[in-house]
mmCIF file with all atom_site columns, all heavy atoms in Angstrom:
data_model
loop_
_atom_site.group_PDB
_atom_site.id
_atom_site.type_symbol
_atom_site.label_atom_id
_atom_site.label_alt_id
_atom_site.label_comp_id
_atom_site.label_asym_id
_atom_site.label_entity_id
_atom_site.label_seq_id
_atom_site.pdbx_PDB_ins_code
_atom_site.Cartn_x
_atom_site.Cartn_y
_atom_site.Cartn_z
_atom_site.occupancy
_atom_site.B_iso_or_equiv
_atom_site.pdbx_formal_charge
_atom_site.auth_seq_id
_atom_site.auth_comp_id
_atom_site.auth_asym_id
_atom_site.auth_atom_id
_atom_site.pdbx_PDB_model_num
ATOM 1   N N   . LEU A 1 21 ? 36.853 83.469 -164.791 1.00 98.00 ? 43 LEU A N   1
ATOM 2   C CA  . LEU A 1 21 ? 37.648 84.149 -165.811 1.00 98.00 ? 43 LEU A CA  1
ATOM 3   C C   . LEU A 1 21 ? 37.889 83.197 -166.970 1.00 98.00 ? 43 LEU A C   1
ATOM 4   O O   . LEU A 1 21 ? 38.114 82.015 -166.744 1.00 98.00 ? 43 LEU A O   1
ATOM 5   C CB  . LEU A 1 21 ? 38.991 84.619 -165.249 1.00 98.00 ? 43 LEU A CB  1
ATOM 6   C CG  . LEU A 1 21 ? 38.946 85.490 -163.992 1.00 98.00 ? 43 LEU A CG  1
ATOM 7   C CD1 . LEU A 1 21 ? 40.354 85.873 -163.541 1.00 98.00 ? 43 LEU A CD1 1
ATOM 8   C CD2 . LEU A 1 21 ? 38.119 86.737 -164.203 1.00 98.00 ? 43 LEU A CD2 1
ATOM 9   N N   . LYS A 1 22 ? 37.871 83.762 -168.167 1.00 98.00 ? 44 LYS A N   1
ATOM 10  C CA  . LYS A 1 22 ? 38.050 82.913 -169.336 1.00 98.00 ? 44 LYS A CA  1
ATOM 11  C C   . LYS A 1 22 ? 39.288 83.303 -170.108 1.00 98.00 ? 44 LYS A C   1
ATOM 12  O O   . LYS A 1 22 ? 39.706 84.470 -170.105 1.00 98.00 ? 44 LYS A O   1
ATOM 13  C CB  . LYS A 1 22 ? 36.823 83.021 -170.276 1.00 98.00 ? 44 LYS A CB  1
ATOM 14  C CG  . LYS A 1 22 ? 35.561 82.492 -169.635 1.00 98.00 ? 44 LYS A CG  1
ATOM 15  C CD  . LYS A 1 22 ? 34.399 82.496 -170.611 1.00 98.00 ? 44 LYS A CD  1
ATOM 16  C CE  . LYS A 1 22 ? 33.155 81.943 -169.944 1.00 98.00 ? 44 LYS A CE  1
ATOM 17  N NZ  . LYS A 1 22 ? 32.005 81.846 -170.868 1.00 98.00 ? 44 LYS A NZ  1
ATOM 18  N N   . CYS A 1 23 ? 39.862 82.355 -170.745 1.00 97.00 ? 45 CYS A N   1
ATOM 19  C CA  . CYS A 1 23 ? 41.092 82.555 -171.515 1.00 97.00 ? 45 CYS A CA  1
ATOM 20  C C   . CYS A 1 23 ? 41.021 81.758 -172.817 1.00 97.00 ? 45 CYS A C   1
ATOM 21  O O   . CYS A 1 23 ? 40.720 80.559 -172.825 1.00 97.00 ? 45 CYS A O   1
ATOM 22  C CB  . CYS A 1 23 ? 42.294 82.068 -170.718 1.00 97.00 ? 45 CYS A CB  1
ATOM 23  S SG  . CYS A 1 23 ? 43.848 82.020 -171.633 1.00 97.00 ? 45 CYS A SG  1
ATOM 24  N N   . TYR A 1 24 ? 41.302 82.456 -173.934 1.00 97.00 ? 46 TYR A N   1
ATOM 25  C CA  . TYR A 1 24 ? 41.356 81.809 -175.223 1.00 97.00 ? 46 TYR A CA  1
ATOM 26  C C   . TYR A 1 24 ? 42.784 81.891 -175.741 1.00 97.00 ? 46 TYR A C   1
ATOM 27  O O   . TYR A 1 24 ? 43.255 82.975 -176.061 1.00 97.00 ? 46 TYR A O   1
ATOM 28  C CB  . TYR A 1 24 ? 40.361 82.463 -176.155 1.00 97.00 ? 46 TYR A CB  1
ATOM 29  C CG  . TYR A 1 24 ? 38.938 82.337 -175.743 1.00 97.00 ? 46 TYR A CG  1
ATOM 30  C CD1 . TYR A 1 24 ? 38.367 83.182 -174.799 1.00 97.00 ? 46 TYR A CD1 1
ATOM 31  C CD2 . TYR A 1 24 ? 38.152 81.262 -176.193 1.00 97.00 ? 46 TYR A CD2 1
ATOM 32  C CE1 . TYR A 1 24 ? 37.040 83.029 -174.349 1.00 97.00 ? 46 TYR A CE1 1
ATOM 33  C CE2 . TYR A 1 24 ? 36.844 81.089 -175.768 1.00 97.00 ? 46 TYR A CE2 1
ATOM 34  C CZ  . TYR A 1 24 ? 36.345 81.990 -174.821 1.00 97.00 ? 46 TYR A CZ  1
ATOM 35  O OH  . TYR A 1 24 ? 35.029 81.805 -174.385 1.00 97.00 ? 46 TYR A OH  1
ATOM 36  N N   . PRO A 1 25 ? 43.501 80.792 -175.747 1.00 96.00 ? 47 PRO A N   1
ATOM 37  C CA  . PRO A 1 25 ? 44.907 80.830 -176.145 1.00 96.00 ? 47 PRO A CA  1
ATOM 38  C C   . PRO A 1 25 ? 45.080 81.091 -177.636 1.00 96.00 ? 47 PRO A C   1
ATOM 39  O O   . PRO A 1 25 ? 44.138 81.055 -178.406 1.00 96.00 ? 47 PRO A O   1
ATOM 40  C CB  . PRO A 1 25 ? 45.393 79.443 -175.743 1.00 96.00 ? 47 PRO A CB  1
ATOM 41  C CG  . PRO A 1 25 ? 44.186 78.559 -175.852 1.00 96.00 ? 47 PRO A CG  1
ATOM 42  C CD  . PRO A 1 25 ? 43.055 79.439 -175.451 1.00 96.00 ? 47 PRO A CD  1
ATOM 43  N N   . ILE A 1 26 ? 46.317 81.340 -177.978 1.00 95.00 ? 48 ILE A N   1
ATOM 44  C CA  . ILE A 1 26 ? 46.634 81.515 -179.398 1.00 95.00 ? 48 ILE A CA  1
ATOM 45  C C   . ILE A 1 26 ? 46.416 80.163 -180.086 1.00 95.00 ? 48 ILE A C   1
ATOM 46  O O   . ILE A 1 26 ? 46.770 79.092 -179.529 1.00 95.00 ? 48 ILE A O   1
ATOM 47  C CB  . ILE A 1 26 ? 48.117 81.943 -179.542 1.00 95.00 ? 48 ILE A CB  1
ATOM 48  C CG1 . ILE A 1 26 ? 48.280 83.339 -179.000 1.00 95.00 ? 48 ILE A CG1 1
ATOM 49  C CG2 . ILE A 1 26 ? 48.600 81.838 -180.999 1.00 95.00 ? 48 ILE A CG2 1
ATOM 50  C CD1 . ILE A 1 26 ? 49.697 83.864 -178.921 1.00 95.00 ? 48 ILE A CD1 1
ATOM 51  N N   . PRO A 1 27 ? 45.788 80.184 -181.267 1.00 92.00 ? 49 PRO A N   1
ATOM 52  C CA  . PRO A 1 27 ? 45.520 78.907 -181.973 1.00 92.00 ? 49 PRO A CA  1
ATOM 53  C C   . PRO A 1 27 ? 46.799 78.049 -182.100 1.00 92.00 ? 49 PRO A C   1
ATOM 54  O O   . PRO A 1 27 ? 47.875 78.548 -182.382 1.00 92.00 ? 49 PRO A O   1
ATOM 55  C CB  . PRO A 1 27 ? 45.017 79.390 -183.331 1.00 92.00 ? 49 PRO A CB  1
ATOM 56  C CG  . PRO A 1 27 ? 44.362 80.695 -183.051 1.00 92.00 ? 49 PRO A CG  1
ATOM 57  C CD  . PRO A 1 27 ? 45.222 81.325 -181.988 1.00 92.00 ? 49 PRO A CD  1
ATOM 58  N N   . ARG A 1 28 ? 46.611 76.792 -181.890 1.00 89.00 ? 50 ARG A N   1
ATOM 59  C CA  . ARG A 1 28 ? 47.675 75.770 -181.994 1.00 89.00 ? 50 ARG A CA  1
ATOM 60  C C   . ARG A 1 28 ? 48.665 75.820 -180.824 1.00 89.00 ? 50 ARG A C   1
ATOM 61  O O   . ARG A 1 28 ? 49.640 75.063 -180.852 1.00 89.00 ? 50 ARG A O   1
ATOM 62  C CB  . ARG A 1 28 ? 48.397 75.840 -183.324 1.00 89.00 ? 50 ARG A CB  1
ATOM 63  C CG  . ARG A 1 28 ? 47.526 75.384 -184.484 1.00 89.00 ? 50 ARG A CG  1
ATOM 64  C CD  . ARG A 1 28 ? 48.266 75.434 -185.807 1.00 89.00 ? 50 ARG A CD  1
ATOM 65  N NE  . ARG A 1 28 ? 48.613 76.793 -186.205 1.00 89.00 ? 50 ARG A NE  1
ATOM 66  C CZ  . ARG A 1 28 ? 47.752 77.651 -186.693 1.00 89.00 ? 50 ARG A CZ  1
ATOM 67  N NH1 . ARG A 1 28 ? 46.501 77.312 -186.876 1.00 89.00 ? 50 ARG A NH1 1
ATOM 68  N NH2 . ARG A 1 28 ? 48.131 78.866 -187.035 1.00 89.00 ? 50 ARG A NH2 1
ATOM 69  N N   . HIS A 1 29 ? 48.413 76.656 -179.836 1.00 91.00 ? 51 HIS A N   1
ATOM 70  C CA  . HIS A 1 29 ? 49.215 76.567 -178.623 1.00 91.00 ? 51 HIS A CA  1
ATOM 71  C C   . HIS A 1 29 ? 48.607 75.471 -177.733 1.00 91.00 ? 51 HIS A C   1
ATOM 72  O O   . HIS A 1 29 ? 47.378 75.446 -177.508 1.00 91.00 ? 51 HIS A O   1
ATOM 73  C CB  . HIS A 1 29 ? 49.210 77.903 -177.878 1.00 91.00 ? 51 HIS A CB  1
ATOM 74  C CG  . HIS A 1 29 ? 50.187 78.878 -178.444 1.00 91.00 ? 51 HIS A CG  1
ATOM 75  N ND1 . HIS A 1 29 ? 50.574 80.012 -177.741 1.00 91.00 ? 51 HIS A ND1 1
ATOM 76  C CD2 . HIS A 1 29 ? 50.882 78.899 -179.609 1.00 91.00 ? 51 HIS A CD2 1
ATOM 77  C CE1 . HIS A 1 29 ? 51.457 80.693 -178.478 1.00 91.00 ? 51 HIS A CE1 1
ATOM 78  N NE2 . HIS A 1 29 ? 51.628 80.012 -179.615 1.00 91.00 ? 51 HIS A NE2 1
ATOM 79  N N   . ASP A 1 30 ? 49.462 74.619 -177.189 1.00 88.00 ? 52 ASP A N   1
ATOM 80  C CA  . ASP A 1 30 ? 48.934 73.477 -176.482 1.00 88.00 ? 52 ASP A CA  1
ATOM 81  C C   . ASP A 1 30 ? 49.017 73.617 -174.949 1.00 88.00 ? 52 ASP A C   1
ATOM 82  O O   . ASP A 1 30 ? 48.552 72.739 -174.223 1.00 88.00 ? 52 ASP A O   1
ATOM 83  C CB  . ASP A 1 30 ? 49.728 72.215 -176.873 1.00 88.00 ? 52 ASP A CB  1
ATOM 84  C CG  . ASP A 1 30 ? 51.229 72.352 -176.755 1.00 88.00 ? 52 ASP A CG  1
ATOM 85  O OD1 . ASP A 1 30 ? 51.659 73.276 -176.036 1.00 88.00 ? 52 ASP A OD1 1
ATOM 86  O OD2 . ASP A 1 30 ? 51.963 71.590 -177.389 1.00 88.00 ? 52 ASP A OD2 1
ATOM 87  N N   . THR A 1 31 ? 49.584 74.694 -174.471 1.00 91.00 ? 53 THR A N   1
ATOM 88  C CA  . THR A 1 31 ? 49.726 74.860 -173.042 1.00 91.00 ? 53 THR A CA  1
ATOM 89  C C   . THR A 1 31 ? 49.191 76.224 -172.600 1.00 91.00 ? 53 THR A C   1
ATOM 90  O O   . THR A 1 31 ? 49.412 77.244 -173.255 1.00 91.00 ? 53 THR A O   1
ATOM 91  C CB  . THR A 1 31 ? 51.199 74.776 -172.595 1.00 91.00 ? 53 THR A CB  1
ATOM 92  O OG1 . THR A 1 31 ? 51.758 73.573 -173.110 1.00 91.00 ? 53 THR A OG1 1
ATOM 93  C CG2 . THR A 1 31 ? 51.342 74.758 -171.094 1.00 91.00 ? 53 THR A CG2 1
ATOM 94  N N   . VAL A 1 32 ? 48.418 76.200 -171.525 1.00 95.00 ? 54 VAL A N   1
ATOM 95  C CA  . VAL A 1 32 ? 47.833 77.441 -170.942 1.00 95.00 ? 54 VAL A CA  1
ATOM 96  C C   . VAL A 1 32 ? 48.295 77.563 -169.506 1.00 95.00 ? 54 VAL A C   1
ATOM 97  O O   . VAL A 1 32 ? 48.364 76.575 -168.765 1.00 95.00 ? 54 VAL A O   1
ATOM 98  C CB  . VAL A 1 32 ? 46.307 77.353 -171.018 1.00 95.00 ? 54 VAL A CB  1
ATOM 99  C CG1 . VAL A 1 32 ? 45.683 78.414 -170.129 1.00 95.00 ? 54 VAL A CG1 1
ATOM 100 C CG2 . VAL A 1 32 ? 45.805 77.515 -172.435 1.00 95.00 ? 54 VAL A CG2 1
ATOM 101 N N   . TYR A 1 33 ? 48.624 78.762 -169.130 1.00 95.00 ? 55 TYR A N   1
ATOM 102 C CA  . TYR A 1 33 ? 49.069 79.050 -167.789 1.00 95.00 ? 55 TYR A CA  1
ATOM 103 C C   . TYR A 1 33 ? 48.199 80.154 -167.166 1.00 95.00 ? 55 TYR A C   1
ATOM 104 O O   . TYR A 1 33 ? 47.764 81.045 -167.879 1.00 95.00 ? 55 TYR A O   1
ATOM 105 C CB  . TYR A 1 33 ? 50.535 79.593 -167.781 1.00 95.00 ? 55 TYR A CB  1
ATOM 106 C CG  . TYR A 1 33 ? 51.553 78.704 -168.447 1.00 95.00 ? 55 TYR A CG  1
ATOM 107 C CD1 . TYR A 1 33 ? 51.714 78.689 -169.824 1.00 95.00 ? 55 TYR A CD1 1
ATOM 108 C CD2 . TYR A 1 33 ? 52.411 77.914 -167.659 1.00 95.00 ? 55 TYR A CD2 1
ATOM 109 C CE1 . TYR A 1 33 ? 52.646 77.912 -170.415 1.00 95.00 ? 55 TYR A CE1 1
ATOM 110 C CE2 . TYR A 1 33 ? 53.338 77.103 -168.272 1.00 95.00 ? 55 TYR A CE2 1
ATOM 111 C CZ  . TYR A 1 33 ? 53.475 77.109 -169.637 1.00 95.00 ? 55 TYR A CZ  1
ATOM 112 O OH  . TYR A 1 33 ? 54.434 76.334 -170.263 1.00 95.00 ? 55 TYR A OH  1
ATOM 113 N N   . TRP A 1 34 ? 47.980 80.088 -165.868 1.00 97.00 ? 56 TRP A N   1
ATOM 114 C CA  . TRP A 1 34 ? 47.294 81.170 -165.168 1.00 97.00 ? 56 TRP A CA  1
ATOM 115 C C   . TRP A 1 34 ? 48.273 81.732 -164.102 1.00 97.00 ? 56 TRP A C   1
ATOM 116 O O   . TRP A 1 34 ? 48.924 80.991 -163.351 1.00 97.00 ? 56 TRP A O   1
ATOM 117 C CB  . TRP A 1 34 ? 46.056 80.641 -164.436 1.00 97.00 ? 56 TRP A CB  1
ATOM 118 C CG  . TRP A 1 34 ? 44.902 80.396 -165.361 1.00 97.00 ? 56 TRP A CG  1
ATOM 119 C CD1 . TRP A 1 34 ? 44.505 79.199 -165.871 1.00 97.00 ? 56 TRP A CD1 1
ATOM 120 C CD2 . TRP A 1 34 ? 43.952 81.354 -165.832 1.00 97.00 ? 56 TRP A CD2 1
ATOM 121 N NE1 . TRP A 1 34 ? 43.374 79.360 -166.664 1.00 97.00 ? 56 TRP A NE1 1
ATOM 122 C CE2 . TRP A 1 34 ? 43.036 80.658 -166.638 1.00 97.00 ? 56 TRP A CE2 1
ATOM 123 C CE3 . TRP A 1 34 ? 43.791 82.727 -165.666 1.00 97.00 ? 56 TRP A CE3 1
ATOM 124 C CZ2 . TRP A 1 34 ? 41.943 81.314 -167.275 1.00 97.00 ? 56 TRP A CZ2 1
ATOM 125 C CZ3 . TRP A 1 34 ? 42.755 83.360 -166.283 1.00 97.00 ? 56 TRP A CZ3 1
ATOM 126 C CH2 . TRP A 1 34 ? 41.826 82.657 -167.110 1.00 97.00 ? 56 TRP A CH2 1
ATOM 127 N N   . TYR A 1 35 ? 48.334 83.084 -164.082 1.00 96.00 ? 57 TYR A N   1
ATOM 128 C CA  . TYR A 1 35 ? 49.140 83.793 -163.133 1.00 96.00 ? 57 TYR A CA  1
ATOM 129 C C   . TYR A 1 35 ? 48.285 84.828 -162.409 1.00 96.00 ? 57 TYR A C   1
ATOM 130 O O   . TYR A 1 35 ? 47.365 85.382 -162.979 1.00 96.00 ? 57 TYR A O   1
ATOM 131 C CB  . TYR A 1 35 ? 50.313 84.507 -163.827 1.00 96.00 ? 57 TYR A CB  1
ATOM 132 C CG  . TYR A 1 35 ? 51.473 83.599 -164.158 1.00 96.00 ? 57 TYR A CG  1
ATOM 133 C CD1 . TYR A 1 35 ? 51.475 82.861 -165.329 1.00 96.00 ? 57 TYR A CD1 1
ATOM 134 C CD2 . TYR A 1 35 ? 52.583 83.509 -163.315 1.00 96.00 ? 57 TYR A CD2 1
ATOM 135 C CE1 . TYR A 1 35 ? 52.520 82.040 -165.645 1.00 96.00 ? 57 TYR A CE1 1
ATOM 136 C CE2 . TYR A 1 35 ? 53.653 82.701 -163.619 1.00 96.00 ? 57 TYR A CE2 1
ATOM 137 C CZ  . TYR A 1 35 ? 53.610 81.982 -164.793 1.00 96.00 ? 57 TYR A CZ  1
ATOM 138 O OH  . TYR A 1 35 ? 54.669 81.168 -165.104 1.00 96.00 ? 57 TYR A OH  1
ATOM 139 N N   . GLN A 1 36 ? 48.642 85.094 -161.145 1.00 96.00 ? 58 GLN A N   1
ATOM 140 C CA  . GLN A 1 36 ? 47.946 86.107 -160.354 1.00 96.00 ? 58 GLN A CA  1
ATOM 141 C C   . GLN A 1 36 ? 49.002 87.156 -159.965 1.00 96.00 ? 58 GLN A C   1
ATOM 142 O O   . GLN A 1 36 ? 50.075 86.807 -159.452 1.00 96.00 ? 58 GLN A O   1
ATOM 143 C CB  . GLN A 1 36 ? 47.380 85.460 -159.121 1.00 96.00 ? 58 GLN A CB  1
ATOM 144 C CG  . GLN A 1 36 ? 46.714 86.432 -158.126 1.00 96.00 ? 58 GLN A CG  1
ATOM 145 C CD  . GLN A 1 36 ? 46.463 85.784 -156.771 1.00 96.00 ? 58 GLN A CD  1
ATOM 146 O OE1 . GLN A 1 36 ? 47.376 85.298 -156.120 1.00 96.00 ? 58 GLN A OE1 1
ATOM 147 N NE2 . GLN A 1 36 ? 45.240 85.789 -156.321 1.00 96.00 ? 58 GLN A NE2 1
ATOM 148 N N   . GLN A 1 37 ? 48.694 88.399 -160.246 1.00 94.00 ? 59 GLN A N   1
ATOM 149 C CA  . GLN A 1 37 ? 49.586 89.492 -159.859 1.00 94.00 ? 59 GLN A CA  1
ATOM 150 C C   . GLN A 1 37 ? 48.904 90.478 -158.949 1.00 94.00 ? 59 GLN A C   1
ATOM 151 O O   . GLN A 1 37 ? 48.014 91.219 -159.420 1.00 94.00 ? 59 GLN A O   1
ATOM 152 C CB  . GLN A 1 37 ? 50.172 90.180 -161.100 1.00 94.00 ? 59 GLN A CB  1
ATOM 153 C CG  . GLN A 1 37 ? 51.240 91.241 -160.734 1.00 94.00 ? 59 GLN A CG  1
ATOM 154 C CD  . GLN A 1 37 ? 51.785 91.961 -161.933 1.00 94.00 ? 59 GLN A CD  1
ATOM 155 O OE1 . GLN A 1 37 ? 51.217 92.002 -163.001 1.00 94.00 ? 59 GLN A OE1 1
ATOM 156 N NE2 . GLN A 1 37 ? 52.991 92.530 -161.760 1.00 94.00 ? 59 GLN A NE2 1
ATOM 157 N N   . GLY A 1 38 ? 49.272 90.450 -157.699 1.00 92.00 ? 60 GLY A N   1
ATOM 158 C CA  . GLY A 1 38 ? 48.734 91.424 -156.730 1.00 92.00 ? 60 GLY A CA  1
ATOM 159 C C   . GLY A 1 38 ? 49.430 92.782 -156.920 1.00 92.00 ? 60 GLY A C   1
ATOM 160 O O   . GLY A 1 38 ? 50.472 92.898 -157.585 1.00 92.00 ? 60 GLY A O   1
ATOM 161 N N   . PRO A 1 39 ? 48.888 93.828 -156.312 1.00 88.00 ? 61 PRO A N   1
ATOM 162 C CA  . PRO A 1 39 ? 49.456 95.172 -156.459 1.00 88.00 ? 61 PRO A CA  1
ATOM 163 C C   . PRO A 1 39 ? 50.931 95.181 -156.011 1.00 88.00 ? 61 PRO A C   1
ATOM 164 O O   . PRO A 1 39 ? 51.255 94.773 -154.901 1.00 88.00 ? 61 PRO A O   1
ATOM 165 C CB  . PRO A 1 39 ? 48.595 96.052 -155.517 1.00 88.00 ? 61 PRO A CB  1
ATOM 166 C CG  . PRO A 1 39 ? 47.333 95.272 -155.365 1.00 88.00 ? 61 PRO A CG  1
ATOM 167 C CD  . PRO A 1 39 ? 47.694 93.819 -155.474 1.00 88.00 ? 61 PRO A CD  1
ATOM 168 N N   . GLY A 1 40 ? 51.808 95.674 -156.906 1.00 84.00 ? 62 GLY A N   1
ATOM 169 C CA  . GLY A 1 40 ? 53.227 95.774 -156.580 1.00 84.00 ? 62 GLY A CA  1
ATOM 170 C C   . GLY A 1 40 ? 53.942 94.423 -156.398 1.00 84.00 ? 62 GLY A C   1
ATOM 171 O O   . GLY A 1 40 ? 55.060 94.406 -155.879 1.00 84.00 ? 62 GLY A O   1
ATOM 172 N N   . GLN A 1 41 ? 53.256 93.367 -156.828 1.00 88.00 ? 63 GLN A N   1
ATOM 173 C CA  . GLN A 1 41 ? 53.838 92.021 -156.639 1.00 88.00 ? 63 GLN A CA  1
ATOM 174 C C   . GLN A 1 41 ? 54.299 91.412 -157.969 1.00 88.00 ? 63 GLN A C   1
ATOM 175 O O   . GLN A 1 41 ? 53.966 91.935 -159.051 1.00 88.00 ? 63 GLN A O   1
ATOM 176 C CB  . GLN A 1 41 ? 52.851 91.104 -155.972 1.00 88.00 ? 63 GLN A CB  1
ATOM 177 C CG  . GLN A 1 41 ? 52.385 91.587 -154.612 1.00 88.00 ? 63 GLN A CG  1
ATOM 178 C CD  . GLN A 1 41 ? 53.541 91.615 -153.637 1.00 88.00 ? 63 GLN A CD  1
ATOM 179 O OE1 . GLN A 1 41 ? 54.316 90.689 -153.501 1.00 88.00 ? 63 GLN A OE1 1
ATOM 180 N NE2 . GLN A 1 41 ? 53.669 92.764 -152.951 1.00 88.00 ? 63 GLN A NE2 1
#
Side-chain angles (χ1 to χ4, degrees):
Chain A
L43 305 181
K44 296 186 179 183
C45 170
Y46 296 84
I48 292 173
R50 290 181 294 283
H51 279 196
D52 53 20
T53 308
V54 166
Y55 304 81
W56 285 98
Y57 281 84
Q58 176 194 56
Q59 185 181 19
Q63 300 298 311

